[in-house]
Amino acid sequence: MRLFVYSILCGVMLTTWGCSARQRNNSDPDTATPSIHDSISEAIDYQLTHYPASQYRDVYKNFMQDFFGPGHILADTAASAKYLREELAEEGPFDGPLYEPTGFRGNFYRVNLSLIRDGVVPYDVFFPSFVESVQGIVPPSGEEWMHTWSVIDSVITAKGITFHDEEADRSALGQQFAEGNFIAHHSKRYNDSVHFHYRIISRARFEADILPLIEKK
């Protein structure tokens, strides 16, 4: 029943947000148009509604994943496979949606590992889709990403949002940026409140390989 309900909810989300994400795929935040600001604002609202313990770095991670995908954790495929199997063997809940789009463009999906544990998606389908998701990714340059993030951050500021430990997060991320490192990890506060075990999979691979198996349920 839980899987059935999640599938309905996520199906609605894919139709409403995923389709708009396809339309936004070529959106350029450099233009800073009102429609792009609205899309960014909607993505922020979604994050804070569904994950109220999110800190500034967690919101940043959501948008970062939309542009960079899972490449940073797939540098070593064998190690990634080992880590995935270890995570699947963990006890405790695998909460969260079955899948959800990243950022404001929806180029990737966070896909719940419960789909493997519950037998909905075979490991031999899930992991290759995860690996293939890095193919064709052309991440933005540091300068391009910093400009994009400045637009996103301006929307956060305009919305008047403040976060727990925001100054510490801003300082830590600023130091990373200065070193050319744009990859962030979730905050401890977020991880302690959310038991969402997921991997980032490209929209193309998700819709071709995984979504049909979910819809069968």
Side-chain angles (χ1 to χ4, degrees):
M1 177 61 73
R2 174 174 174 269
L3 177 60
F4 177 71
V5 171
Y6 263 145
S7 296
I8 292 176
L9 292 175
C10 292
V12 171
M13 181 169 63
L14 179 64
T15 301
T16 57
W17 193 354
C19 288
S20 61
R22 279 192 286 274
Q23 296 167 357
R24 300 184 205 126
N25 190 37
N26 295 321
S27 297
D28 182 359
D30 289 353
T31 61
T33 64
S35 62
I36 292 175
H37 279 189
D38 289 346
S39 296
I40 293 171
S41 180
E42 290 169 11
I44 295 168
D45 289 343
Y46 177 91
Q47 171 91 15
L48 298 182
T49 297
H50 291 81
Y51 309 105
S54 293
Q55 295 186 188
Y56 180 81
R57 67 168 46 252
D58 300 303
V59 175
Y60 170 84
K61 184 178 179 71
N62 180 17
F63 290 100
M64 178 272 294
Q65 288 174 328
D66 194 24
F67 280 77
F68 290 88
H72 62 288
I73 59 174
L74 273 170
D76 185 333
T77 302
S80 296
K82 180 176 181 292
Y83 180 55
L84 176 57
R85 290 192 181 278
E86 289 175 350
E87 192 169 352
L88 287 168
E90 292 180 11
E91 297 182 358
F94 276 40
D95 293 336
L98 295 183
Y99 56 88
E100 65 184 7
T102 56
F104 73 96
R105 301 190 309 175
N107 287 328
F108 295 88
Y109 282 84
R110 297 189 191 95
V111 185
N112 202 317
L113 299 188
S114 68
L115 291 168
I116 305 176
R117 288 218 314 186
D118 296 342
V120 178
V121 180
Y123 178 93
D124 291 341
V125 172
F126 191 103
F127 188 70
S129 294
F130 173 50
V131 172
E132 292 169 13
S133 292
V134 303
Q135 297 177 358
I137 293 178
V138 180
S141 67
E143 182 178 358
E144 290 169 338
W145 173 238
M146 285 292 86
H147 182 80
T148 297
W149 176 245
S150 72
V151 173
I152 297 169
D153 194 32
S154 72
V155 177
I156 294 174
T157 301
K159 290 172 71 67
I161 300 170
T162 57
F163 297 92
H164 177 78
D165 282 345
E166 181 174 344
E167 289 306 313
D169 279 350
R170 285 183 177 273
S171 176
L173 288 172
Q175 184 173 348
Q176 285 187 215
F177 299 160
E179 297 169 353
N181 178 9
F182 306 107
I183 306 304
H185 300 289
H186 281 301
S187 67
K188 182 179 184 301
R189 187 168 184 259
Y190 173 95
N191 284 331
D192 286 347
S193 68
V194 178
H195 304 284
F196 186 9
H197 299 262
Y198 67 84
R199 290 295 183 274
I200 299 294
I201 295 180
S202 70
R203 185 170 70 228
R205 292 269 50 89
F206 171 76
E207 293 180 351
D209 303 334
I210 295 176
L211 183 59
L213 297 176
I214 297 174
E215 290 177 338
K216 284 184 179 180
K217 295 291 181 178

